[in-house]
Amino acid sequence: MGCTTSVILFKGIRTVFERNCAYMCKQPGESNALEYTAYNWSKEDSELSIAFCLAKPKLIEPLDYENVIVQKKTQILNDCLREMLLFPYDDFQTAILRRQGRYLRSTVPANAEEEAQSLFVTECIKTYNSDWHLVTYKYEDYSGEFRQLPNKVPKLDKLPVHVFEVDEEADKDEDAASLGSQKGGITKHGWLYKGNMNSAISVTMRSFKRRFFHLIQLGDGSYNLNFYKDEKISKEPKGSIFLDSCMGVIQNNRVRRFAFELKMQDKSSYLLAADSEAEMEEWVTVLNKILQLNFEAAMQEKRNGDSHEDDEQSKLEGSGSGLDSYLPELAKSTREAEIKLKSESRVKLFYLDPDTQKLDFSSAEPEVKPFEEKFGKRILVKCNDLSFNLQCCVAENEEGPTTNVEPFFVTLSLFDIKYNRKISADFHVDLNHFSVRQMLAPASPALMNGGQSPPAFQDALHTAMQYPKQGIFSVTCPHPDIFLVARIEKVLQGGVTHCAEPYMKSSDSSKVAQKVLKNAKQACQRLGQYRMPFAWAARTLFKDTSGNLDKNARFSAIYRQDSNKLSNDDMLKLLADFRKPEKMAKLPVILGNLDITIDNVSCDFPNYLNSSYIPMRQFETCSKSPITFEVEEFVPCIPKHTQPYTVYSNHLYVYPKYLKYDSQKSFAKARNIAICIEFKDSDEEDSQPLKCIYGRPGGPVFTRSALAAVLHHQQNPEFYDEIKIELPAQLHERHHLLFTFFHVSCDNSTKGSTKKKDAVETQVGFSWLPLLKDGRVLTNEQHIPVSANLPSGYLGYQELGMGRHYGPEVKWVEGGKPLLKISTHLVSTVYTQDQHLHNFFQYCQKTESGAQASGSELVKYLKSLHAMEGHVMIAFLPTILNQLFRVLTRATQEEVAVNVTRVIIHVVAQCHEEGLESHLRSYVKFAYKAEPYVASEYKTVHEELTKSMTTILKPSADFLTSNKLLKYSWFFFDVLIKSMAQHLIENNKVKLLRNQRFPASYHHAVETVVNMLMPHITQKFRDNPEASKNANHSLAVFIKRCFTFMDRGFVFKQINNYISCFAPGDPKTLFEYKFEFLRVVCNHEHYIPLNLPMPFGKGRIQRYQDLQLDYSLTDEFCRNHFLVGLLLREVGTALQEFREVRVIAISMLKNLLIKHSFDDRYASRSHQARIATLYLPLFGLLIENVQRINVRDVSPFPVNPGSIVKDETLAVPAGNPLMTPQKGNTLDHSLHKDLLGAISGIASPYTASTPNINSVRNADSRGSLISTDSGNSLADRNPEKSNSLDKQQQSGMLGNSVVRCDKLDQSEIRSLLMCFLYVLKSMSDDALFTYWNKASTAELMDFFTISEVCLHQFQYMGKRYIASLTKCVTLPPAWNRNDACQIAAAGQPG
């Protein structure tokens, strides 16, 4: 009904204008001023003509925002909507977020910070101990697009049901069944059990009869529930239940399961039962839905009856007044109905726009999280059992379980045969039975390292850690060629072949077992601390590269260890043949079984320790679940697999590899050679080794020494052992590894004397390895000599050549040849192996400690950082960037500052190239913290960085560096923003006036950066599109955030500087850049206050309707409401461009209006009306382009050809989209003021010229959309009209009178009309009446033309038309046909 009424009213108004403005119609024989010769222009000619014809719009100088705020303070404070004019005081603030670790205590040892002397170590520790520093913006959720608003735009599942006249004829043509379907009718059928119809109390189980029920809707809309004996519903039903008499449906299980009862109006009831609970619930739901529909229909009928009575009464009262009395009543009732409708939570206009429901996250900022420990694929390894075929009872009294006859020790680790490397540390497991462990001598007690936990906790933890059986391995790059390898050792007895022989026999002889047990007991008592290699086994871990575990795989057979193939390299070669059965079959097998299972690790896995033995936060020592150890992964040194360090870790892994002792003459016996490794901090004679070596199961947690496995009768032994050392926080030059060699006597004869028994080990040499070289930890493979003695001060020994030396007398074995091969591997988050990084921090430490700083020297070290290894850069990223920014603020020379910035650019570029941009975002948001500002000593990061960026962007600078700066400029602008925010809050400058917060030098620096960036953006977009696009977006984000901190008038000027670099006729890419910039800036959370939606008239304003509202883009409007004025000017300019550009501009404008509509801060009608005043010039914008909205060409609906005006002289040639409007006839202004008053609702409409509303009911108005004057310039239409809006328009949007006249696409028209309808719907009545009173006749004609176009564009065409469309267009799955009808209907205005 609303659609039809609107059409009739608009047609009537149009007819009024046509009858009173006959001069508007073209007279026969009159020359057509708009005719011109049609040229067949090509698109290139058109583009060229636009480039030459369209002059660059002049820039409007923005208002001095800060001064206006001060001058109009009283007016603003007295405004009832002052929250729309002022920024909130608590707009932003700094916050500290506690660092949330996953551990029970800090990973940094208690005394580490005090012990640290190196600047690099100190800064690393600060990084791991510091909390997160954030800048929070209270209204940041409102600073994105409408899809990112905190009150998410809901998706409309259902729209209110309406009935339209256009559907009534279609409904009559359908039968009753289809009628029910069209109106949302419900049908259902199925078998039910029917109880006694008279009384539910007397019903028994036997009285139920099975009947087929069929629910139908009759022609009048009511429902019947018919029942039959069978499914043949064509017959007469046995009975019916009239649901319009039903009062309710309830469940009733007293007599029968799955029963429900229908309560009727006459207090009778019907008892029915289903076969299952699901069927019962389905029937109850359907019947309740019908009852709800019946209730709503009854209420609607009652309301319609009341309304009908009121109408009859009003007709009787006003029957003598005729049409003159009818029109006011009609207008009054229409307005009251409209107010009521608007107050009943109508669906917002833009809910019906298809773009609103689209999922588009292209403009959403990426989610940023703090740095956190990240692991690869985590695998839980459970060690259950190791059993060999050779078993017996080891107890003296032979009472106990049957077990292995001697202790065995398992070491697990991961090997990657694809990349030929060991990828994890060793995990040591003791699976021996308690009685077998008793064969070894008891271990001495030990304490935990660090001492940060209570002693009781340490003791309980140490007890629980004695015999671990579960480990968590991590693999960053999983693939099928990774193996879990188990090496098995036993107590030293003799040769591997000899000791393994009893285990390789299939016959289980008790005599053999007893013999082996006897020898094992003697060996355990005498050589219990020494181990020998025995066997190995392996299994695959992964099925594929996705990390899916191969849980079905089992460990291979247990292979005897070959004493000549012990090293990790030998193991990798064996694993390479693992899938070759013919080669594996040649290896000797030991009969036994190793039961180890693998599984995935859940997120909430309990009770584990990390590789430094620090318990997790939820650790419970009293828990029944076993303790699990994390095993350190040796992550490959590749940047993309590296994570910034977040916890303190300082481990050194030592690998003795080979000792060549077959030619030594210093010792008589040196065959069964054992190596004892110690870590010492002094070479004095009585100095003790440090207790920092990780122990083995059953022993202390940390020990002072560790022994490698011994090879029997080998003078050139190979080793495979891994010794893990916890390094101290601060290393110095005297820290070293000491290797002591022993000859171990394996003779277990009992015939020898006591003296001979005691001589188990004999020293046969010493070797040492200083840990630091040039200040860095020595790693990789080292070949070192062996000494026969160990004099005091041995670290000071130096060869001087010519047989001379410095230091104590050292007796070298074989003349000092490098007989020992050692390898070390550092896994540390406080020490770096990169020489360039080490040198840089070392030089910074010298200058900070008082040494004279040399600019050229510092520049040399800064330049060397470009050669820093990528994985080191990523690992220490926060520490490196913090130090670089510190140097930047203390730089006294421009060259230093520029080189610092160059290094930062290099680091940022490396992160992006490795796909690790997220680390940079985490750093800026959480880790970056500006240094405390001391004006006399240091400068601010934002000022120094801005100056350096300016230097790098100069045309004479290195273009590679400047391109990287452009491409990754977001990082530098984000640092500027955070530095500004922290500077204002920490120095208490937030309370100052905006123009006093930052010095003039910084304002100048910002302006210079903007001016230096623009040529790169506007001139490099072809050669370097990614860099220019990124720079454009980053600059927009920076400018937007400057509104929060800086003088807003100054920021407006920077926007003007930006816009001045663009011109009409620019390539499409530049238009995209410009509107992307405007999109970002206009999405500022306080965009409305920035535009100051307030009166700017002179003198005191008494009433809002007295305001000089701007309905066109005057210079004054664009100055006072700068952003919205600029946006509308740019949209107007874009409308004169080609389609791709127009779509970008229109979409940006519409999305901004959608955001206003959905912003819950401005949800009230008064807020929306105030916002609408900012967009009133949109009327003028559309009127200027009214001729381009041609319903005949773009409407998707059928148009009656007879209704179109036959005057073809108005057609514009398709080849030439441009035309120059000519002056038409001067229009008379004799239109009665009372008629205009009637339109606006102010003056009396009763005149002789007022048409009868019924006389125009059938008049066709489509021809009225075409007017000979609609293309004329507004200034020429009615120059004599004193209150015309055109006199206010001092400058048009275009530089001259050339206007495009090619037609807009339908999508463009609909988007523009949606914007028009939003403003029209939101604006206050006073503003609308003021517009109607002040507009010229031609403007009013065009205004109603646009309104009529809205009716045709959003006209509801009926269900039949929509059904014809759905045959070729598939609707989304969530929508049905009725939804499509309702959306089409709701899309119309009114």
Side-chain angles (χ1 to χ4, degrees), residues 86 311 324 407 472 617 649 654 715 744 850 898 922 941 955 1026 1265 1321:
L86 294 173
D311 291 345
D324 291 345
I472 297 176
R617 188 176 292 276
S649 178
V654 182
Q715 290 182 313
V744 180
V898 170
S922 297
V941 167
E1026 186 180 4
L1265 295 178
K1321 172 180 176 291

Side-chain angles (χ1 to χ4, degrees), residues 952-980:
I952 293 172
L953 289 172
K954 287 180 179 178
S956 58
D958 176 23
F959 75 95
L960 289 176
T961 305
S962 63
N963 282 348
K964 288 180 181 178
L965 175 58
L966 292 170
K967 194 173 181 180
Y968 312 121
S969 52
W970 73 263
F971 175 84
F972 300 92
F973 281 123
D974 280 8
V975 170
L976 292 180
I977 291 167
K978 189 169 184 181
S979 175
M980 291 163 66

Side-chain angles (χ1 to χ4, degrees), residues 272 945 1135:
L272 307 176
L945 186 57
L1135 288 178

Side-chain angles (χ1 to χ4, degrees), residues 764-777:
V764 291
F766 305 90
S767 190
W768 54 89
L769 179 68
L771 211 57
L772 293 181
K773 183 178 182 182
D774 298 327
R776 294 182 300 139
V777 177

Side-chain angles (χ1 to χ4, degrees), residues 194-226:
K194 180 177 68 68
N196 191 315
M197 305 290 277
N198 296 322
S199 174
I201 300 175
S202 60
V203 174
T204 62
M205 283 288 290
R206 293 181 180 179
S207 67
F208 278 90
K209 295 180 180 179
R210 199 165 189 261
R211 295 288 182 262
F212 187 79
F213 280 79
H214 184 210
L215 177 65
I216 62 168
Q217 185 180 19
L218 303 181
D220 60 356
S222 61
Y223 287 87
N224 278 8
L225 186 58
N226 298 334

Side-chain angles (χ1 to χ4, degrees), residues 385-443:
D385 183 47
L386 171 64
S387 59
F388 292 100
N389 285 13
L390 191 66
Q391 292 193 341
C392 71
C393 178
V394 300
E396 294 290 341
N397 54 7
E398 297 187 0
E399 291 183 2
T402 301
T403 61
N404 293 330
V405 295
E406 58 182 317
F408 292 95
F409 311 96
V410 180
T411 301
L412 298 171
S413 54
L414 299 181
F415 284 81
D416 185 341
I417 63 172
K418 182 178 180 180
Y419 296 103
N420 211 40
R421 57 191 293 267
K422 184 171 181 274
I423 62 171
S424 80
D426 288 343
F427 177 49
H428 302 283
V429 183
D430 184 346
L431 296 175
N432 296 301
H433 189 271
F434 176 75
S435 58
V436 177
R437 290 176 187 154
Q438 297 299 104
M439 296 169 64
L440 297 167

Side-chain angles (χ1 to χ4, degrees), residues 1243-1313:
S1244 173
Y1246 317 132
T1247 66
S1249 62
T1250 305
N1252 189 320
I1253 195 72
N1254 296 317
S1255 67
V1256 296
R1257 190 175 299 276
N1258 296 319
D1260 194 15
S1261 62
R1262 287 200 172 98
S1264 66
L1265 295 178
I1266 310 301
S1267 170
T1268 58
D1269 288 318
S1270 60
N1272 291 359
S1273 61
L1274 297 181
D1276 294 332
R1277 293 187 183 179
N1278 195 356
E1280 299 177 14
K1281 185 173 175 68
S1282 58
N1283 62 345
S1284 172
L1285 300 176
D1286 301 318
K1287 286 193 174 182
Q1288 300 174 22
Q1289 183 160 356
Q1290 299 169 8
S1291 63
M1293 285 175 293
L1294 300 180
N1296 55 24
S1297 59
V1298 177
V1299 182
R1300 286 185 71 98
C1301 288
D1302 55 334
K1303 305 304 179 184
L1304 301 178
D1305 286 354
Q1306 182 182 345
S1307 60
E1308 300 173 66
I1309 294 173
R1310 291 176 73 90
S1311 293
L1312 283 172
L1313 293 180

Side-chain angles (χ1 to χ4, degrees), residues 94 133 135 882 885-886 889-890 923-924 926-933 938-942 975-984 986-987:
T94 56
H133 298 273
V135 175
N882 286 342
F885 283 122
R886 188 178 298 110
T889 58
R890 301 178 184 186
Y923 170 77
V924 175
F926 294 98
Y928 171 76
K929 172 68 172 66
E931 286 281 296
Y933 175 66
Y938 313 132
K939 304 167 188 175
T940 58
V941 167
H942 51 270
V975 170
L976 292 180
I977 291 167
K978 189 169 184 181
S979 175
M980 291 163 66
Q982 291 176 340
H983 173 72
L984 290 180
E986 291 175 6
N987 295 285

